[in-house]
Amino acid sequence: MKTWLVRCLLGGLILSTPALAQDEDEDPYATPDEESSRSSDDDYNRPEPVDQTDEFREVSEQEGEDGDFQRMSGLDDPNLGVAVELIAGALLVDSSRGEFSDNLLGLGVRATWEFGRILDNEALREALWADLRWTYGGLSDGTAFISGDTSLHYFTIAPAYELKLGKSDFGFFAQAGGGLAYQATSITVDADVTKVNGLKPVLQGGVGFRGRPRLTSSGNLRLAFRVEALAFRRGYMNDFFLGGSLGTAF
């Protein structure tokens, strides 16, 4: 009898379902409606995220020495935006003899400054620049008895806008400016020399292709070159320059 009773008790313990530990927050006697109400109260009491967009916008708009944020445009660019180039090409001078032009060898030098770097605009940093240019051409004609020597000097300042080819160091440009043209003429008749000098306003305009590839991977020294077609309006005369330039930029 005792053996049968012990066996019954052991069988009941084995077949009984183990009690699982419940979560501390769970109420075993709570109804489904009470559980839903408790979840809603927890969501209501949870703090909402704070929108700091306006605060960051106000701080980022602060400028000047007293502002916490200053625009960093150009600080990672070591270039000064200055270039010096030697010019060579064909100078087509308006002919006084009724021909299309007197073709001369045009030589000169120019200095370029990328003044767009002083503007706080990333798109205009290398797109705006200006040239300070001197172009020279000389012409001689006549006979052994009478001859004339003429030299032309163009001094111009011309701002330009360049359309960059993506993120590269190359682009197409258009420019327009003005300055002065100085003409010195010497007329020789036998042994007598007569000099005639004149100064006229000149307008300059043209288009071209410009490049500034790096010469070193770490430094800021660049090769500056240009291919261009320019027109000079010298008084009532029209002169043209077809050529290019080569120099350095830094």
Side-chain angles (χ1 to χ4, degrees):
M1 182 66 182
K2 294 181 178 180
T3 301
W4 177 84
L5 182 59
V6 171
R7 291 179 179 177
C8 290
L9 293 174
L10 292 175
L13 292 174
I14 293 173
L15 295 176
S16 63
T17 303
L20 299 177
Q22 295 181 341
D23 191 358
E24 295 179 358
D25 296 337
E26 293 182 359
D27 187 357
Y29 302 103
T31 64
D33 293 339
E34 293 177 350
E35 287 290 343
S36 177
S37 177
R38 181 180 301 174
S39 300
S40 299
D41 293 341
D42 292 340
D43 294 339
Y44 180 78
N45 294 327
R46 184 181 298 115
E48 296 182 358
V50 179
D51 186 5
Q52 297 180 341
T53 304
D54 294 338
E55 296 182 12
F56 281 112
R57 183 181 296 110
E58 291 177 0
V59 175
S60 63
E61 290 177 352
Q62 295 180 2
E63 299 180 4
E65 299 179 355
D66 298 332
D68 296 332
F69 284 82
Q70 297 182 11
R71 298 185 179 181
M72 309 297 287
S73 175
L75 292 184
D76 58 342
D77 187 355
N79 292 282
L80 298 177
V82 178
V84 178
E85 302 170 60
L86 297 177
I87 303 170
L91 183 59
L92 312 180
V93 178
D94 198 347
S95 178
S96 60
R97 296 176 297 182
E99 299 179 357
F100 174 74
S101 65
D102 293 327
N103 302 329
L104 318 176
L105 174 63
L107 301 173
V109 64
R110 69 161 147 246
T112 302
W113 176 43
E114 296 176 356
F115 65 90
R117 295 176 181 270
I118 65 176
L119 304 177
D120 200 4
N121 190 312
E122 190 68 25
L124 299 178
R125 285 183 54 76
E126 296 183 359
L128 294 178
W129 43 269
D131 288 335
L132 177 61
R133 174 184 180 124
W134 167 66
T135 309
Y136 165 79
L139 174 65
S140 298
D141 197 7
T143 64
F145 180 74
I146 181 172
S147 63
D149 297 322
T150 300
S151 60
L152 288 170
H153 302 264
Y154 304 86
F155 302 93
T156 57
I157 299 177
Y161 178 81
E162 181 176 348
L163 182 62
K164 305 288 289 185
L165 298 179
K167 298 294 184 178
S168 69
D169 297 321
F170 307 93
F172 294 92
F173 69 89
Q175 67 177 164
L180 295 173
Y182 175 73
Q183 179 175 343
T185 302
S186 298
I187 301 175
T188 303
V189 180
D190 196 5
D192 297 330
V193 178
T194 302
K195 295 184 177 181
V196 179
N197 301 330
L199 196 65
K200 294 182 178 180
V202 61
L203 298 177
Q204 174 190 324
V207 295
F209 179 79
R210 177 175 178 252
R212 297 188 316 117
R214 288 181 179 271
L215 293 177
T216 60
S217 58
S218 58
N220 60 350
L221 186 64
R222 294 173 178 262
L223 176 68
F225 70 89
R226 202 180 301 183
V227 179
E228 60 190 356
L230 301 179
F232 297 100
R233 178 69 176 179
R234 178 171 50 95
Y236 59 89
M237 308 182 75
N238 297 313
D239 305 329
F240 298 92
F241 175 83
L242 303 175
S245 61
L246 184 66
T248 57
F250 47 91

